[in-house]
Tab-separated table of all heavy atoms in Angstrom:
chain	number	residue	atom	x	y	z
A	19	MET	N	-12.139	49.480	8.412
A	19	MET	CA	-13.335	49.979	7.889
A	19	MET	C	-14.404	48.860	7.727
A	19	MET	O	-15.485	49.162	7.828
A	19	MET	CB	-13.047	50.701	6.563
A	19	MET	CG	-14.113	51.397	5.995
A	19	MET	SD	-14.582	52.818	7.053
A	19	MET	CE	-15.861	53.462	6.110
A	20	THR	N	-13.995	47.677	7.457
A	20	THR	CA	-14.921	46.608	7.313
A	20	THR	C	-15.617	46.297	8.617
A	20	THR	O	-16.835	46.010	8.567
A	20	THR	CB	-14.204	45.296	6.818
A	20	THR	OG1	-12.990	45.568	6.166
A	20	THR	CG2	-15.091	44.449	5.986
A	21	LYS	N	-14.976	46.440	9.707
A	21	LYS	CA	-15.601	46.192	10.928
A	21	LYS	C	-16.669	47.266	11.277
A	21	LYS	O	-17.792	46.909	11.737
A	21	LYS	CB	-14.578	46.162	12.102
A	21	LYS	CG	-13.615	45.068	12.142
A	21	LYS	CD	-12.657	45.158	13.295
A	21	LYS	CE	-11.796	43.983	13.324
A	21	LYS	NZ	-10.885	43.984	14.553
A	22	VAL	N	-16.485	48.477	10.895
A	22	VAL	CA	-17.497	49.524	11.046
A	22	VAL	C	-18.722	49.230	10.180
A	22	VAL	O	-19.894	49.359	10.712
A	22	VAL	CB	-16.845	50.930	10.700
A	22	VAL	CG1	-17.953	52.020	10.716
A	22	VAL	CG2	-15.723	51.199	11.684
A	23	VAL	N	-18.521	48.903	8.916
A	23	VAL	CA	-19.628	48.649	8.045
A	23	VAL	C	-20.354	47.383	8.558
A	23	VAL	O	-21.600	47.452	8.529
A	23	VAL	CB	-19.109	48.430	6.561
A	23	VAL	CG1	-20.235	47.927	5.723
A	23	VAL	CG2	-18.517	49.681	6.068
A	24	ASN	N	-19.655	46.347	8.956
A	24	ASN	CA	-20.277	45.196	9.578
A	24	ASN	C	-21.190	45.459	10.744
A	24	ASN	O	-22.191	45.049	10.954
A	24	ASN	CB	-19.165	44.151	9.843
A	24	ASN	CG	-19.775	42.735	10.149
A	24	ASN	OD1	-20.840	42.486	9.725
A	24	ASN	ND2	-19.088	41.969	10.954
A	25	TYR	N	-20.532	46.304	11.604
A	25	TYR	CA	-21.205	46.707	12.861
A	25	TYR	C	-22.616	47.462	12.584
A	25	TYR	O	-23.617	47.164	13.118
A	25	TYR	CB	-20.374	47.598	13.734
A	25	TYR	CG	-21.013	48.155	14.917
A	25	TYR	CD1	-21.313	47.407	16.043
A	25	TYR	CD2	-21.574	49.493	14.875
A	25	TYR	CE1	-21.990	47.938	17.160
A	25	TYR	CE2	-22.164	50.056	16.027
A	25	TYR	CZ	-22.349	49.248	17.114
A	25	TYR	OH	-23.072	49.808	18.266
A	26	ILE	N	-22.452	48.358	11.637
A	26	ILE	CA	-23.652	49.196	11.225
A	26	ILE	C	-24.690	48.255	10.529
A	26	ILE	O	-25.910	48.293	10.814
A	26	ILE	CB	-23.353	50.343	10.351
A	26	ILE	CG1	-22.529	51.360	11.037
A	26	ILE	CG2	-24.527	50.983	9.679
A	26	ILE	CD1	-21.890	52.412	10.285
A	27	SER	N	-24.231	47.369	9.655
A	27	SER	CA	-25.200	46.373	9.108
A	27	SER	C	-25.804	45.493	10.134
A	27	SER	O	-27.061	45.274	9.988
A	27	SER	CB	-24.313	45.572	8.088
A	27	SER	OG	-25.167	44.513	7.568
A	28	GLU	N	-25.056	44.939	11.087
A	28	GLU	CA	-25.728	44.139	12.043
A	28	GLU	C	-26.588	44.937	12.978
A	28	GLU	O	-27.632	44.407	13.424
A	28	GLU	CB	-24.562	43.459	12.918
A	28	GLU	CG	-23.844	42.384	12.113
A	28	GLU	CD	-22.666	41.838	12.985
A	28	GLU	OE1	-22.482	42.298	14.100
A	28	GLU	OE2	-21.977	40.925	12.470
A	29	SER	N	-26.239	46.137	13.188
A	29	SER	CA	-27.137	47.008	14.054
A	29	SER	C	-28.451	47.281	13.440
A	29	SER	O	-29.529	47.122	13.999
A	29	SER	CB	-26.528	48.332	14.330
A	29	SER	OG	-25.397	48.162	15.100
A	30	PHE	N	-28.515	47.442	12.106
A	30	PHE	CA	-29.781	47.680	11.451
A	30	PHE	C	-30.555	46.420	11.355
A	30	PHE	O	-31.787	46.315	11.480
A	30	PHE	CB	-29.516	48.174	10.024
A	30	PHE	CG	-29.397	49.651	9.869
A	30	PHE	CD1	-28.140	50.142	9.578
A	30	PHE	CD2	-30.420	50.481	10.213
A	30	PHE	CE1	-28.034	51.546	9.497
A	30	PHE	CE2	-30.271	51.838	10.108
A	30	PHE	CZ	-29.080	52.428	9.782
A	31	GLU	N	-29.895	45.302	11.211
A	31	GLU	CA	-30.661	43.958	11.130
A	31	GLU	C	-31.197	43.610	12.611
A	31	GLU	O	-32.318	43.147	12.649
A	31	GLU	CB	-29.618	42.858	10.832
A	31	GLU	CG	-30.215	41.448	10.685
A	31	GLU	CD	-31.315	41.403	9.689
A	31	GLU	OE1	-31.146	42.091	8.572
A	31	GLU	OE2	-32.262	40.769	9.817
A	32	GLU	N	-30.479	44.063	13.597
A	32	GLU	CA	-30.956	43.778	15.003
A	32	GLU	C	-32.264	44.700	15.185
A	32	GLU	O	-33.219	44.266	15.774
A	32	GLU	CB	-29.883	44.227	15.981
A	32	GLU	CG	-30.262	44.123	17.458
A	32	GLU	CD	-30.038	42.833	18.008
A	32	GLU	OE1	-29.311	42.007	17.460
A	32	GLU	OE2	-30.684	42.498	19.040
A	33	LEU	N	-32.203	45.939	14.726
A	33	LEU	CA	-33.405	46.850	14.837
A	33	LEU	C	-34.592	46.264	14.045
A	33	LEU	O	-35.724	46.443	14.511
A	33	LEU	CB	-33.004	48.253	14.290
A	33	LEU	CG	-32.059	49.060	15.267
A	33	LEU	CD1	-31.717	50.308	14.543
A	33	LEU	CD2	-32.798	49.364	16.625
A	34	LYS	N	-34.364	45.712	12.949
A	34	LYS	CA	-35.447	45.164	12.181
A	34	LYS	C	-36.045	43.923	12.669
A	34	LYS	O	-37.268	43.671	12.671
A	34	LYS	CB	-34.953	44.934	10.713
A	34	LYS	CG	-34.814	46.105	9.872
A	34	LYS	CD	-34.719	45.789	8.350
A	34	LYS	CE	-33.284	45.693	8.003
A	34	LYS	NZ	-33.035	45.525	6.631
A	35	SER	N	-35.237	42.987	13.190
A	35	SER	CA	-35.717	41.679	13.494
A	35	SER	C	-35.916	41.378	14.990
A	35	SER	O	-36.801	40.628	15.414
A	35	SER	CB	-34.716	40.626	12.965
A	35	SER	OG	-33.433	40.749	13.516
A	36	ASN	N	-35.182	42.092	15.881
A	36	ASN	CA	-35.242	41.698	17.295
A	36	ASN	C	-35.827	42.707	18.189
A	36	ASN	O	-36.017	42.392	19.323
A	36	ASN	CB	-33.857	41.312	17.847
A	36	ASN	CG	-33.194	40.090	17.111
A	36	ASN	OD1	-33.953	39.354	16.640
A	36	ASN	ND2	-31.977	39.984	17.101
A	37	VAL	N	-36.039	43.894	17.725
A	37	VAL	CA	-36.615	44.924	18.553
A	37	VAL	C	-38.154	44.949	18.423
A	37	VAL	O	-38.681	44.978	17.293
A	37	VAL	CB	-36.018	46.370	18.209
A	37	VAL	CG1	-36.740	47.481	18.974
A	37	VAL	CG2	-34.535	46.345	18.379
A	38	THR	N	-38.850	45.002	19.545
A	38	THR	CA	-40.256	45.080	19.452
A	38	THR	C	-40.632	46.573	19.556
A	38	THR	O	-40.432	47.226	20.561
A	38	THR	CB	-40.908	44.420	20.671
A	38	THR	OG1	-40.437	43.085	20.693
A	38	THR	CG2	-42.363	44.394	20.644
A	39	TRP	N	-41.212	47.092	18.516
A	39	TRP	CA	-41.627	48.460	18.360
A	39	TRP	C	-42.976	48.725	18.889
A	39	TRP	O	-43.905	47.850	18.577
A	39	TRP	CB	-41.443	48.979	16.950
A	39	TRP	CG	-40.010	48.902	16.501
A	39	TRP	CD1	-39.449	48.007	15.673
A	39	TRP	CD2	-38.995	49.867	16.695
A	39	TRP	NE1	-38.162	48.245	15.455
A	39	TRP	CE2	-37.864	49.419	16.060
A	39	TRP	CE3	-38.926	51.001	17.425
A	39	TRP	CZ2	-36.591	50.040	16.067
A	39	TRP	CZ3	-37.755	51.690	17.486
A	39	TRP	CH2	-36.578	51.223	16.823
A	40	PRO	N	-43.261	49.800	19.678
A	40	PRO	CA	-44.656	49.969	20.086
A	40	PRO	C	-45.530	50.368	18.962
A	40	PRO	O	-45.083	50.973	17.880
A	40	PRO	CB	-44.453	51.090	21.064
A	40	PRO	CG	-43.252	51.777	20.746
A	40	PRO	CD	-42.306	50.741	20.057
A	41	ALA	N	-46.803	50.296	19.220
A	41	ALA	CA	-47.823	50.711	18.178
A	41	ALA	C	-47.863	52.173	18.084
A	41	ALA	O	-47.472	52.857	19.123
A	41	ALA	CB	-49.207	50.152	18.590
A	42	TRP	N	-48.268	52.768	17.011
A	42	TRP	CA	-48.287	54.207	16.757
A	42	TRP	C	-49.131	54.924	17.813
A	42	TRP	O	-48.755	56.009	18.384
A	42	TRP	CB	-48.718	54.516	15.370
A	42	TRP	CG	-48.695	55.978	15.057
A	42	TRP	CD1	-49.757	56.759	14.778
A	42	TRP	CD2	-47.558	56.825	15.071
A	42	TRP	NE1	-49.405	58.033	14.625
A	42	TRP	CE2	-48.051	58.160	14.729
A	42	TRP	CE3	-46.256	56.705	15.341
A	42	TRP	CZ2	-47.155	59.213	14.682
A	42	TRP	CZ3	-45.416	57.809	15.134
A	42	TRP	CH2	-45.883	59.000	14.895
A	43	ALA	N	-50.238	54.316	18.247
A	43	ALA	CA	-51.193	54.906	19.221
A	43	ALA	C	-50.471	55.014	20.566
A	43	ALA	O	-50.490	56.068	21.263
A	43	ALA	CB	-52.409	54.132	19.274
A	44	GLU	N	-49.630	54.010	20.881
A	44	GLU	CA	-48.927	54.062	22.199
A	44	GLU	C	-47.832	55.105	22.188
A	44	GLU	O	-47.626	55.745	23.146
A	44	GLU	CB	-48.310	52.622	22.443
A	44	GLU	CG	-47.711	52.594	23.831
A	44	GLU	CD	-47.176	51.138	24.201
A	44	GLU	OE1	-47.129	50.314	23.275
A	44	GLU	OE2	-46.657	51.044	25.333
A	45	VAL	N	-47.200	55.195	21.048
A	45	VAL	CA	-46.138	56.271	20.900
A	45	VAL	C	-46.776	57.620	21.096
A	45	VAL	O	-46.178	58.408	21.817
A	45	VAL	CB	-45.417	56.087	19.514
A	45	VAL	CG1	-44.509	57.365	19.273
A	45	VAL	CG2	-44.680	54.801	19.395
A	46	GLN	N	-47.854	57.912	20.440
A	46	GLN	CA	-48.469	59.220	20.602
A	46	GLN	C	-48.855	59.445	22.050
A	46	GLN	O	-48.647	60.489	22.557
A	46	GLN	CB	-49.746	59.252	19.716
A	46	GLN	CG	-49.383	59.330	18.247
A	46	GLN	CD	-50.628	59.356	17.253
A	46	GLN	OE1	-51.598	58.651	17.710
A	46	GLN	NE2	-50.536	60.074	16.286
A	47	ARG	N	-49.480	58.460	22.688
A	47	ARG	CA	-49.960	58.558	24.079
A	47	ARG	C	-48.709	58.880	24.955
A	47	ARG	O	-48.765	59.747	25.807
A	47	ARG	CB	-50.676	57.352	24.555
A	47	ARG	CG	-51.225	57.426	25.954
A	47	ARG	CD	-51.925	56.123	26.374
A	47	ARG	NE	-51.094	54.941	26.361
A	47	ARG	CZ	-50.179	54.578	27.286
A	47	ARG	NH1	-50.048	55.362	28.415
A	47	ARG	NH2	-49.433	53.495	27.268
A	48	LEU	N	-47.704	58.141	24.859
A	48	LEU	CA	-46.496	58.280	25.717
A	48	LEU	C	-45.813	59.678	25.402
A	48	LEU	O	-45.222	60.271	26.305
A	48	LEU	CB	-45.516	57.141	25.601
A	48	LEU	CG	-46.058	55.794	26.058
A	48	LEU	CD1	-45.110	54.687	25.788
A	48	LEU	CD2	-46.383	55.886	27.536
A	49	THR	N	-45.854	60.131	24.158
A	49	THR	CA	-45.254	61.401	23.829
A	49	THR	C	-46.004	62.474	24.583
A	49	THR	O	-45.420	63.364	25.073
A	49	THR	CB	-45.224	61.598	22.264
A	49	THR	OG1	-44.563	60.548	21.713
A	49	THR	CG2	-44.697	62.955	21.970
A	50	ILE	N	-47.334	62.385	24.591
A	50	ILE	CA	-48.127	63.371	25.264
A	50	ILE	C	-47.788	63.358	26.700
A	50	ILE	O	-47.762	64.428	27.447
A	50	ILE	CB	-49.612	63.218	24.953
A	50	ILE	CG1	-49.938	63.464	23.529
A	50	ILE	CG2	-50.477	63.996	25.871
A	50	ILE	CD1	-51.292	63.095	23.084
A	51	VAL	N	-47.702	62.140	27.339
A	51	VAL	CA	-47.355	61.963	28.781
A	51	VAL	C	-46.053	62.771	29.110
A	51	VAL	O	-45.939	63.490	30.064
A	51	VAL	CB	-47.362	60.493	29.255
A	51	VAL	CG1	-46.798	60.407	30.521
A	51	VAL	CG2	-48.765	60.002	29.161
A	52	VAL	N	-44.976	62.465	28.269
A	52	VAL	CA	-43.675	63.081	28.426
A	52	VAL	C	-43.761	64.601	28.314
A	52	VAL	O	-43.222	65.312	29.129
A	52	VAL	CB	-42.707	62.435	27.554
A	52	VAL	CG1	-41.367	63.205	27.458
A	52	VAL	CG2	-42.467	60.981	27.852
A	53	ALA	N	-44.536	65.035	27.371
A	53	ALA	CA	-44.543	66.505	27.175
A	53	ALA	C	-45.400	67.161	28.327
A	53	ALA	O	-44.883	68.243	28.862
A	53	ALA	CB	-45.381	66.779	25.888
A	54	VAL	N	-46.401	66.617	28.861
A	54	VAL	CA	-47.160	67.104	30.048
A	54	VAL	C	-46.237	67.169	31.209
A	54	VAL	O	-46.177	68.216	31.919
A	54	VAL	CB	-48.424	66.332	30.192
A	54	VAL	CG1	-49.020	66.712	31.607
A	54	VAL	CG2	-49.434	66.636	29.116
A	55	PHE	N	-45.525	66.122	31.483
A	55	PHE	CA	-44.712	65.995	32.651
A	55	PHE	C	-43.516	66.986	32.503
A	55	PHE	O	-43.022	67.577	33.509
A	55	PHE	CB	-44.198	64.573	32.941
A	55	PHE	CG	-45.154	63.799	33.738
A	55	PHE	CD1	-45.959	62.820	33.203
A	55	PHE	CD2	-45.289	64.109	35.065
A	55	PHE	CE1	-46.867	62.152	33.938
A	55	PHE	CE2	-46.246	63.351	35.906
A	55	PHE	CZ	-46.996	62.403	35.320
A	56	SER	N	-43.005	67.209	31.313
A	56	SER	CA	-41.895	68.179	31.021
A	56	SER	C	-42.416	69.518	31.406
A	56	SER	O	-41.650	70.297	32.055
A	56	SER	CB	-41.513	68.110	29.707
A	56	SER	OG	-40.877	66.812	29.373
A	57	VAL	N	-43.589	69.868	30.969
A	57	VAL	CA	-44.201	71.241	31.297
A	57	VAL	C	-44.358	71.405	32.729
A	57	VAL	O	-44.064	72.397	33.331
A	57	VAL	CB	-45.461	71.421	30.433
A	57	VAL	CG1	-46.140	72.777	30.917
A	57	VAL	CG2	-45.072	71.537	28.974
A	58	VAL	N	-44.910	70.402	33.375
A	58	VAL	CA	-45.252	70.405	34.864
A	58	VAL	C	-43.940	70.573	35.619
A	58	VAL	O	-43.790	71.446	36.496
A	58	VAL	CB	-45.977	69.203	35.372
A	58	VAL	CG1	-46.022	69.034	36.810
A	58	VAL	CG2	-47.409	69.222	34.757
A	59	PHE	N	-42.833	69.868	35.265
A	59	PHE	CA	-41.567	69.929	35.894
A	59	PHE	C	-40.957	71.336	35.744
A	59	PHE	O	-40.337	71.850	36.544
A	59	PHE	CB	-40.681	68.811	35.388
A	59	PHE	CG	-39.458	68.697	36.160
A	59	PHE	CD1	-39.420	68.234	37.445
A	59	PHE	CD2	-38.239	69.108	35.603
A	59	PHE	CE1	-38.208	68.176	38.136
A	59	PHE	CE2	-37.063	69.016	36.242
A	59	PHE	CZ	-36.988	68.602	37.644
A	60	ALA	N	-41.065	71.784	34.509
A	60	ALA	CA	-40.520	73.215	34.194
A	60	ALA	C	-41.190	74.250	34.989
A	60	ALA	O	-40.560	75.095	35.509
A	60	ALA	CB	-40.628	73.443	32.708
A	61	LEU	N	-42.525	74.151	35.142
A	61	LEU	CA	-43.230	75.065	35.952
A	61	LEU	C	-42.892	74.945	37.382
A	61	LEU	O	-42.734	76.019	38.087
A	61	LEU	CB	-44.759	74.893	35.733
A	61	LEU	CG	-45.305	75.338	34.359
A	61	LEU	CD1	-46.765	74.988	34.265
A	61	LEU	CD2	-45.132	76.837	34.194
A	62	ALA	N	-42.727	73.742	37.862
A	62	ALA	CA	-42.329	73.586	39.267
A	62	ALA	C	-40.901	74.094	39.498
A	62	ALA	O	-40.662	74.754	40.563
A	62	ALA	CB	-42.319	72.020	39.563
A	63	THR	N	-40.011	73.866	38.576
A	63	THR	CA	-38.713	74.429	38.746
A	63	THR	C	-38.706	75.974	38.699
A	63	THR	O	-38.050	76.663	39.541
A	63	THR	CB	-37.780	73.938	37.588
A	63	THR	OG1	-37.794	72.495	37.655
A	63	THR	CG2	-36.347	74.416	37.697
A	64	TRP	N	-39.476	76.495	37.845
A	64	TRP	CA	-39.649	77.985	37.746
A	64	TRP	C	-40.182	78.545	39.053
A	64	TRP	O	-39.740	79.586	39.585
A	64	TRP	CB	-40.533	78.441	36.583
A	64	TRP	CG	-40.839	79.847	36.525
A	64	TRP	CD1	-40.069	80.831	36.144
A	64	TRP	CD2	-42.095	80.409	36.945
A	64	TRP	NE1	-40.751	81.981	36.236
A	64	TRP	CE2	-41.956	81.825	36.725
A	64	TRP	CE3	-43.260	79.825	37.440
A	64	TRP	CZ2	-43.104	82.658	37.084
A	64	TRP	CZ3	-44.319	80.715	37.763
A	64	TRP	CH2	-44.175	82.079	37.605
A	65	GLY	N	-41.221	77.910	39.600
A	65	GLY	CA	-41.837	78.296	40.839
A	65	GLY	C	-40.787	78.346	41.999
A	65	GLY	O	-40.746	79.266	42.789
A	66	VAL	N	-40.063	77.216	42.101
A	66	VAL	CA	-39.006	77.165	43.227
A	66	VAL	C	-38.033	78.235	42.975
A	66	VAL	O	-37.591	78.839	43.931
A	66	VAL	CB	-38.471	75.679	43.205
A	66	VAL	CG1	-37.197	75.762	44.123
A	66	VAL	CG2	-39.419	74.765	43.714
A	67	ASP	N	-37.551	78.424	41.818
A	67	ASP	CA	-36.622	79.535	41.511
A	67	ASP	C	-37.178	80.935	41.910
A	67	ASP	O	-36.434	81.696	42.474
A	67	ASP	CB	-36.249	79.483	40.055
A	67	ASP	CG	-35.213	80.604	39.594
A	67	ASP	OD1	-34.098	80.506	40.254
A	67	ASP	OD2	-35.490	81.360	38.744
A	68	GLU	N	-38.322	81.191	41.592
A	68	GLU	CA	-38.986	82.481	41.953
A	68	GLU	C	-39.047	82.622	43.484
A	68	GLU	O	-38.738	83.650	44.001
A	68	GLU	CB	-40.440	82.581	41.346
A	68	GLU	CG	-40.412	82.858	39.882
A	68	GLU	CD	-39.856	84.178	39.559
A	68	GLU	OE1	-40.194	85.180	40.189
A	68	GLU	OE2	-39.085	84.242	38.523
A	69	VAL	N	-39.443	81.556	44.220
A	69	VAL	CA	-39.529	81.685	45.709
A	69	VAL	C	-38.173	81.904	46.209
A	69	VAL	O	-37.983	82.779	47.111
A	69	VAL	CB	-40.111	80.300	46.240
A	69	VAL	CG1	-39.943	80.263	47.704
A	69	VAL	CG2	-41.539	80.222	45.854
A	70	PHE	N	-37.119	81.137	45.765
A	70	PHE	CA	-35.781	81.443	46.278
A	70	PHE	C	-35.267	82.823	45.926
A	70	PHE	O	-34.647	83.425	46.752
A	70	PHE	CB	-34.817	80.399	45.698
A	70	PHE	CG	-34.822	79.027	46.490
A	70	PHE	CD1	-34.955	77.872	45.783
A	70	PHE	CD2	-34.775	79.088	47.872
A	70	PHE	CE1	-34.972	76.644	46.524
A	70	PHE	CE2	-34.823	77.878	48.605
A	70	PHE	CZ	-34.879	76.664	47.922
A	71	ALA	N	-35.636	83.290	44.741
A	71	ALA	CA	-35.177	84.619	44.345
A	71	ALA	C	-35.748	85.687	45.250
A	71	ALA	O	-35.062	86.549	45.660
A	71	ALA	CB	-35.447	84.865	42.882
A	72	LYS	N	-37.112	85.543	45.472
A	72	LYS	CA	-37.676	86.544	46.232
A	72	LYS	C	-37.318	86.467	47.757
A	72	LYS	O	-37.105	87.455	48.411
A	72	LYS	CB	-39.345	86.379	46.187
A	72	LYS	CG	-39.892	86.737	44.873
A	72	LYS	CD	-41.347	86.727	44.871
A	72	LYS	CE	-41.883	86.903	43.494
A	72	LYS	NZ	-41.551	88.101	42.781
A	73	THR	N	-37.019	85.254	48.295
A	73	THR	CA	-36.519	85.031	49.668
A	73	THR	C	-35.111	85.654	49.748
A	73	THR	O	-34.883	86.360	50.779
A	73	THR	CB	-36.430	83.527	49.983
A	73	THR	OG1	-37.772	83.044	49.741
A	73	THR	CG2	-36.014	83.295	51.386
A	74	LEU	N	-34.307	85.426	48.754
A	74	LEU	CA	-32.951	86.064	48.858
A	74	LEU	C	-32.998	87.525	48.764
A	74	LEU	O	-32.257	88.299	49.403
A	74	LEU	CB	-32.044	85.456	47.782
A	74	LEU	CG	-31.484	84.098	48.068
A	74	LEU	CD1	-30.720	83.592	46.829
A	74	LEU	CD2	-30.659	84.062	49.169
A	75	ALA	N	-33.908	88.065	47.942
A	75	ALA	CA	-34.009	89.593	47.766
A	75	ALA	C	-34.510	90.113	49.185
A	75	ALA	O	-33.918	91.134	49.576
A	75	ALA	CB	-35.088	89.887	46.658
A	76	VAL	N	-35.443	89.550	49.801
A	76	VAL	CA	-35.925	90.062	51.114
A	76	VAL	C	-34.772	89.945	52.120
A	76	VAL	O	-34.503	90.781	52.871
A	76	VAL	CB	-37.145	89.169	51.553
A	76	VAL	CG1	-37.432	89.395	52.986
A	76	VAL	CG2	-38.328	89.480	50.679
A	77	PHE	N	-34.073	88.814	52.092
A	77	PHE	CA	-32.877	88.596	53.028
A	77	PHE	C	-31.876	89.702	52.946
A	77	PHE	O	-31.400	90.332	53.852
A	77	PHE	CB	-32.349	87.169	52.860
A	77	PHE	CG	-31.162	87.006	53.702
A	77	PHE	CD1	-31.261	86.823	55.084
A	77	PHE	CD2	-29.876	86.905	53.142
A	77	PHE	CE1	-30.163	86.564	55.873
A	77	PHE	CE2	-28.749	86.662	53.942
A	77	PHE	CZ	-28.877	86.531	55.337
A	78	PHE	N	-31.545	89.867	51.621
A	78	PHE	CA	-30.439	90.995	51.397
A	78	PHE	C	-30.882	92.334	51.705
A	78	PHE	O	-30.104	93.199	52.157
A	78	PHE	CB	-29.780	90.802	49.985
A	78	PHE	CG	-28.943	89.693	49.778
A	78	PHE	CD1	-29.167	88.651	48.912
A	78	PHE	CD2	-27.793	89.474	50.595
A	78	PHE	CE1	-28.326	87.507	48.769
A	78	PHE	CE2	-27.015	88.439	50.434
A	78	PHE	CZ	-27.191	87.428	49.504
A	79	ASN	N	-32.249	92.628	51.379
A	79	ASN	CA	-32.679	93.932	51.756
A	79	ASN	C	-32.714	94.104	53.215
A	79	ASN	O	-32.551	95.128	53.731
A	79	ASN	CB	-34.089	94.149	51.150
A	79	ASN	CG	-34.097	94.437	49.741
A	79	ASN	OD1	-33.014	94.908	49.168
A	79	ASN	ND2	-35.126	94.017	48.958
A	80	TRP	N	-33.068	92.960	53.991
A	80	TRP	CA	-33.047	93.057	55.418
A	80	TRP	C	-31.597	93.362	56.007
A	80	TRP	O	-31.438	94.125	56.924
A	80	TRP	CB	-33.612	91.750	55.957
A	80	TRP	CG	-33.636	91.639	57.437
A	80	TRP	CD1	-34.347	92.318	58.347
A	80	TRP	CD2	-32.725	90.725	58.178
A	80	TRP	NE1	-34.012	91.876	59.612
A	80	TRP	CE2	-33.090	90.950	59.631
A	80	TRP	CE3	-31.879	89.827	57.899
A	80	TRP	CZ2	-32.405	90.213	60.553
A	80	TRP	CZ3	-31.148	89.095	58.829
A	80	TRP	CH2	-31.501	89.321	60.190
A	81	ILE	N	-30.588	92.685	55.414
A	81	ILE	CA	-29.193	92.811	55.815
A	81	ILE	C	-28.770	94.314	55.496
A	81	ILE	O	-28.051	94.924	56.312
A	81	ILE	CB	-28.306	91.824	55.092
A	81	ILE	CG1	-28.533	90.523	55.794
A	81	ILE	CG2	-26.795	92.195	55.309
A	81	ILE	CD1	-27.665	89.440	55.133
A	82	LYS	N	-29.178	94.807	54.350
A	82	LYS	CA	-28.752	96.080	53.947
A	82	LYS	C	-29.315	97.318	54.834
A	82	LYS	O	-28.669	98.227	55.046
A	82	LYS	CB	-29.190	96.418	52.458
A	82	LYS	CG	-28.474	97.424	51.773
A	82	LYS	CD	-29.020	97.856	50.395
A	82	LYS	CE	-28.874	96.689	49.491
A	82	LYS	NZ	-29.378	97.086	48.078
A	83	ALA	N	-30.470	96.964	55.376
A	83	ALA	CA	-31.178	97.972	56.224
A	83	ALA	C	-30.578	98.185	57.597
A	83	ALA	O	-29.707	97.612	58.100
A	83	ALA	CB	-32.611	97.652	56.346
């Protein structure tokens, strides 16, 4: 148990002293960039899914006829 407590204590010390944290403005800017790209990627995935779904529906209707 002492090793776990020691590990957690050293981890917090590492985070406080050796990690360079970005400025709050940069965090906000990068968060917006990630959110925008996530929405764009989701829309692109949805679009490709719709195209494939419609293509498969036409194909199966063609086979059925």
Side-chain angles (χ1 to χ4, degrees):
M19 186 65 179
T20 334
K21 288 183 178 182
V22 173
V23 172
N24 189 28
Y25 174 77
I26 292 172
S27 173
E28 288 177 0
S29 296
F30 277 113
E31 185 60 36
E32 180 87 16
L33 287 172
K34 283 194 267 183
S35 60
N36 295 337
V37 174
T38 304
W39 296 98
W42 181 245
E44 185 179 7
V45 170
Q46 289 176 327
R47 182 181 61 81
L48 292 176
T49 300
I50 291 171
V51 168
V52 168
V54 167
F55 276 104
S56 296
V57 169
V58 168
F59 187 72
L61 288 173
T63 303
W64 172 77
V66 170
D67 181 57
E68 287 294 316
V69 167
F70 279 130
K72 290 187 190 302
T73 303
L74 284 174
V76 168
F77 176 72
F78 284 121
N79 284 335
W80 176 69
I81 287 178
K82 200 187 295 186

